[in-house]
Amino acid sequence: MILEVKNIAKSFGKNTILNDVSFGMEPSTLIGIVGENGSGKSTLLKIIVGEWKSNSGNISINGAVGYCPQKPLLFDQLTVREHFQYFSAAYNINRTLFQERSEALMNLFNYKKYEQVKVANLSGGTQQKLNLSLALLHKPQLLILDEPYSGFDWDTYLKFWDYTKHLISEGCAILVVTHLLAEKARFNRIYDLRNGILV
């Protein structure tokens, strides 16, 4: 088991967001969690990656995690290349691998031409490409995606799904959280988060 979520509960005051949520993921699986806006999907992800604490329950992760949040966590005054350099240092990726992986990801999602452009001057779609690429940079065993294809054009959307097949073939487990799921046949399991309960 690469991810095990056990009995997670989360409340904000008297407002219960998550109620006894449990599920697990094996390597080479693609799991989806759907739910209306405000259903607690992003809250659950933030608890899984350690950004927020739950009121009760446990999370167990066995492997490196890549996290692509719904809102890109980028620095306006850094260029695309500088982002790759910054995250490579954080992941302890050597210079050769940094060059190889950053080039491959920029070419895959077709934004190499923006390598020296500051994030503040990028479109929302290109920012999301960079956001996803940074989550993939260190080749995680568990990839967690919150509304990952928001703002993608059709070509990038197709490339995203093609690349997920490649990742899964290499043993990566992928968790996709979204309010709209159009590619249901690709998933091993799909959960619906309703009233704080995972169905």
Side-chain angles (χ1 to χ4, degrees):
M1 193 79 72
I2 196 164
L3 170 65
E4 194 166 9
V5 177
K6 287 186 175 181
N7 310 117
I8 293 297
K10 180 67 176 178
S11 298
F12 294 99
K14 294 181 179 179
N15 188 16
T16 298
I17 305 299
L18 301 172
N19 184 14
D20 199 32
V21 171
S22 298
F23 71 98
M25 292 185 68
E26 300 285 351
S28 296
T29 55
L30 177 60
I31 304 298
I33 296 179
V34 298
E36 297 178 353
N37 291 332
S39 63
K41 302 185 304 296
S42 293
T43 298
L44 177 59
L45 290 199
K46 288 178 180 180
I47 291 170
I48 291 172
V49 300
E51 187 175 341
W52 288 355
K53 289 185 177 181
S54 62
N55 296 118
S56 60
N58 296 290
I59 304 286
S60 176
I61 297 175
N62 298 302
V65 178
Y67 174 44
C68 181
Q70 183 176 2
K71 183 178 179 182
L73 295 177
L74 305 172
F75 304 97
D76 282 350
Q77 296 309 307
L78 293 185
T79 66
V80 167
R81 181 174 177 80
E82 287 168 341
H83 274 83
F84 280 114
Q85 291 172 326
Y86 180 88
F87 278 82
S88 290
Y91 292 137
N92 198 27
I93 297 172
N94 67 44
R95 185 175 181 83
T96 302
L97 281 178
F98 145 71
Q99 192 69 31
E100 176 186 315
R101 293 180 188 174
S102 60
E103 291 280 333
L105 289 163
M106 283 187 285
N107 287 326
L108 173 68
F109 294 116
N110 194 29
Y111 65 103
K112 177 76 165 61
K113 61 186 176 184
Y114 300 116
E115 184 176 6
Q116 300 299 337
V117 176
K118 290 183 178 180
V119 159
N121 298 321
L122 297 175
S123 68
T126 304
Q127 288 185 21
Q128 189 65 359
K129 291 179 186 182
L130 176 58
N131 192 40
L132 175 60
S133 297
L134 295 173
L136 292 166
L137 184 61
H138 60 306
K139 294 189 175 180
Q141 285 85 47
L142 173 62
L143 181 61
I144 298 175
L145 307 172
D146 190 358
E147 302 284 358
Y149 28 77
S150 175
F152 282 176
D153 55 51
W154 183 244
D155 182 60
T156 304
Y157 179 80
L158 295 176
K159 286 179 178 177
F160 164 79
W161 283 114
D162 282 343
Y163 197 61
T164 60
K165 287 193 293 186
H166 166 73
L167 292 172
I168 290 167
S169 73
E170 292 194 330
C172 184
I174 304 175
L175 177 61
V176 176
V177 170
T178 181
H179 70 282
L180 181 63
L181 202 58
E183 303 283 345
K184 295 181 180 180
R186 297 180 184 270
F187 288 78
N188 298 100
R189 290 194 306 280
I190 299 172
Y191 297 101
D192 190 358
L193 188 57
R194 303 179 199 165
N195 301 317
I197 299 171
L198 209 59
V199 180

